[in-house]
Amino acid sequence: MTSIHLSGIYIYPIKSAGGIALEEAQVSDRGLQYDRRWMLVDEQGKFLTQRQFPSMALIQVRFGEGGLVVEAPNQPSLSIPLDYESNHRLRVQVWNDICPAIPLDQQFSQWFSEFLHIPCQLVYMPEDSIRPINPNYAAPGEPVSFADGFPFLLISQASLQDLNQRLEQPVPMNRFRPNLVVSGCEAFAEDSWRHIRIGSIPFRVVKPCSRCTITTVDQSQGIRGKEPLATLANYRLRNGKIFFGQNVIQEQLGTLRIGDEVKIKSFGA
């Protein structure tokens, strides 16, 4: 396959926990179905991530019968329903955004509290919770999940290969937690894309993704190091921020599948 194509699809149902690789996925109004619809918050309702707790990388998530199955070292398996209904709402904070979420039953929060050794609460974003994307990059009211800011993160396989050629120890793509991985293009070709189509679905490439310390967390060990940020800073530093990957917004709903052709409709500066 020589054309640019979709080679990876990933969702992260619980923000900052392990991801799930998929062969196909539904594109919803706020990103891939089930992506970052659950989140851990502290006692003040503020979001928790691997930035503060690298061991969150060890929380593995997969689909099981009737819901999500969550596993972590020295913890029993936990089953979380995919459809959770409640009239109770809790105001939670993701960066500077505050939005309503459903707090799940105590049994779920206790599991995560015991693993992380801090009091925390597992919450779910229902359909009636609307967290708008930054209006500088989206139409008013366009929603996003508990993701950092945008529905999709796209990275090319060639960009990772370019980085790994500069590292003493190569890193896997999961360090960057993308939703969409594309192959068949040159390294960092995605930096110049503005409008693309993957399969039948059009997307807008709106903003390069600035990277944080989560990229330095070994996702298999939950331990933080210095790479790849130290190396990326040598050649991907712009205005004090390190960029790797592109934030993307869907312009249509539908289904994405591994192997879908990626067509570049327009370029930008």
Side-chain angles (χ1 to χ4, degrees), residues 15-171:
K15 183 177 178 67
S16 230
I20 302 175
L22 300 173
E23 290 296 313
E24 67 175 55
Q26 299 301 311
V27 175
S28 73
D29 63 344
R30 61 191 82 192
L32 291 176
Q33 186 180 30
Y34 304 124
D35 186 48
R36 297 177 175 94
R37 296 297 290 268
W38 291 263
M39 180 173 70
L40 293 173
V41 299
D42 64 16
E43 293 179 296
Q44 287 72 48
K46 190 172 181 178
F47 73 121
L48 303 178
T49 73
Q50 291 181 35
R51 295 172 183 87
Q52 312 104 302
F53 302 100
S55 61
M56 287 183 69
L58 302 179
I59 300 172
Q60 297 302 307
V61 184
R62 59 182 171 84
F63 287 114
E65 187 174 346
L68 297 175
V69 177
V70 184
E71 298 171 321
N74 303 313
Q75 289 286 105
S77 295
L78 181 69
S79 183
I80 300 174
L82 290 178
D83 298 311
Y84 197 83
E85 296 296 333
S86 172
N87 293 324
H88 188 195
R89 295 291 188 272
L90 179 72
R91 291 174 67 80
V92 299
Q93 182 176 351
V94 187
W95 297 111
N96 294 323
D97 297 331
I98 296 176
C99 60
I102 296 176
L104 272 68
D105 295 341
Q106 181 59 29
Q107 63 182 19
F108 301 110
S109 297
Q110 182 176 347
W111 189 97
F112 291 97
S113 297
E114 289 176 355
F115 178 67
L116 294 176
H117 305 293
I118 58 156
C120 59
Q121 172 85 57
L122 181 67
V123 301
Y124 171 73
M125 176 182 279
E127 290 298 319
D128 60 15
S129 176
I130 304 300
R131 177 186 170 220
I133 302 171
N134 185 330
N136 291 330
Y137 303 99
E142 277 192 295
V144 64
S145 65
F146 289 135
D148 277 351
F150 295 89
F152 292 88
L153 174 62
L154 180 149
I155 300 175
S156 73
Q157 190 66 44
S159 297
L160 179 65
Q161 291 170 349
D162 180 279
L163 167 62
N164 280 334
Q165 290 173 358
R166 304 165 189 259
L167 293 172
E168 289 187 12
Q169 295 291 330
V171 297

Side-chain angles (χ1 to χ4, degrees), residues 245-257:
Q246 292 288 328
N247 291 299
V248 175
I249 301 174
Q250 76 285 354
E251 295 187 325
Q252 188 176 305
L253 308 185
T255 303
L256 292 174
R257 297 178 178 85

